[in-house]
Amino acid sequence: MRELKGTEVARSVFEDVRRRCREFVDKTAVSVHLAVVLVGSDGASQSYVASKGKACDEMGFVHTDIRLPDSTSEAELISVVEKLNSDSSVHGILVQIPLPKHISEHRIAETIAPDKDVDGLNPVNLGKLLLGQSCLVPCTPAGILEILSYYHIETKGTHAVVIGRSAIVGKPMASLLMNKRCDATVTVCHSKTKNLAQMTASADILVVAMGKPLCVTRDMVKPGAVVIDVGINRIPDSTKKRGYRIVGDVDYSAVADMCSAITPVPGGVGPMTIAMLMKNTLQACMTQYGEHNCR
Ligand code: NAD
């Protein structure tokens, strides 16, 4: 069994982005600039935004963090995003989700200019992804493809099963796997799927993004399968000082020895999301400056 180390893959993406950013800045004197908007005071979101800022610093990007109170209205947030859309010094815009309940995440994703949409959630980018056209791709599924490619895992002709149909993970993942570059045959499962174990047991590649701790058990996995665990769940653990530990959606200890390859949690898909955000930001900036040689 090979452990697919996202931390190692992410490091190689960071190095590549840092190098290409330096070359781009030397050539154009343009500072690559990501704006991150955070509404409210959710602790997890604050720490995600802080790590994105740190990653920008490491890449040599400029970043602007805009913090807005919970009471911000949808109209006010739209107006902030529209200002960023028309600011030519800003190349990437990310609005941290989840947003407070009174703000529609779809409405905000629609407002972000498609060429600055580094989360890849604007309908134009999701539509292009479905059509197999070049676009900004949501960071987590893009990171999973990067892991598969780094470890030379063949997808062509395989049966890939994706559990989860969210716009940020499951749906774009399924599109990427069925598009020409991957050429997999894809089954998508969700909360209303019957006989889930029967579906997953036929998967050569199983991508799990359901947000349910340790739900994928040994009987659900085909011997020799490649298992990609996207889940990040906190479960109580009194042996830990903080009182919990992080686990995936897959019961790693029960499943690992029967897989040909598997991502751990933590240290698997998680580190890729931020690495791909950096890659998308550089791609967005270079495309805005007419450079199309970005991978
Ligand atoms: P979501 O809640 O939007 O979607 C979960 C999906 O799982 C839904 O489509 C639902 O139909 C499906 N599902 C739920 N219960 C099911 C069941 N019993 N059987 C079959 N399908 C079921 O979540 P999401 O945003 O797609 O995230 C999924 C998980 O991935 C979460 O744990 C989240 O924290 C994690 N995540 C990790 C990263 C990362 O960087 N590693 C990024 C995004 C999300």
Side-chain angles (χ1 to χ4, degrees), residues 140 163-166 168-169 190-191 196 209-212 230-233 249 269-270 273:
T140 303
I163 313 184
R165 57 176 165 184
S166 68
I168 196 160
V169 188
H190 49 77
S191 54
L196 182 66
M210 58 203 292
K212 297 268 155 67
V230 186
I232 302 178
N233 310 286
D249 291 349
V269 176
T273 300

Side-chain angles (χ1 to χ4, degrees), residues 31-43:
S31 297
V32 181
H33 185 173
L34 174 66
V36 178
V37 184
L38 173 62
V39 184
S41 52
D42 176 71

Side-chain angles (χ1 to χ4, degrees), residues 211-227:
K212 297 268 155 67
L214 310 174
C215 230
V216 171
T217 48
R218 199 170 171 86
D219 56 307
M220 296 170 74
V221 177
K222 176 174 167 179
V226 173
V227 175

Side-chain angles (χ1 to χ4, degrees), residues 144-145 148 153-164 170 172-179 182-189 199-208 222 225-228:
I144 292 170
L145 275 207
L148 295 175
I153 291 171
E154 180 62 271
T155 52
K156 190 174 182 175
T158 59
H159 180 211
V161 174
V162 178
I163 313 184
M173 187 75 247
S175 287
L176 287 166
L177 286 166
M178 84 170 91
N179 281 351
C182 286
D183 286 319
T185 302
V186 181
T187 301
V188 179
C189 300
M199 301 282 180
T200 58
S202 71
D204 303 308
I205 297 177
L206 178 60
V207 180
V208 189
K222 176 174 167 179
V226 173
V227 175
I228 307 290

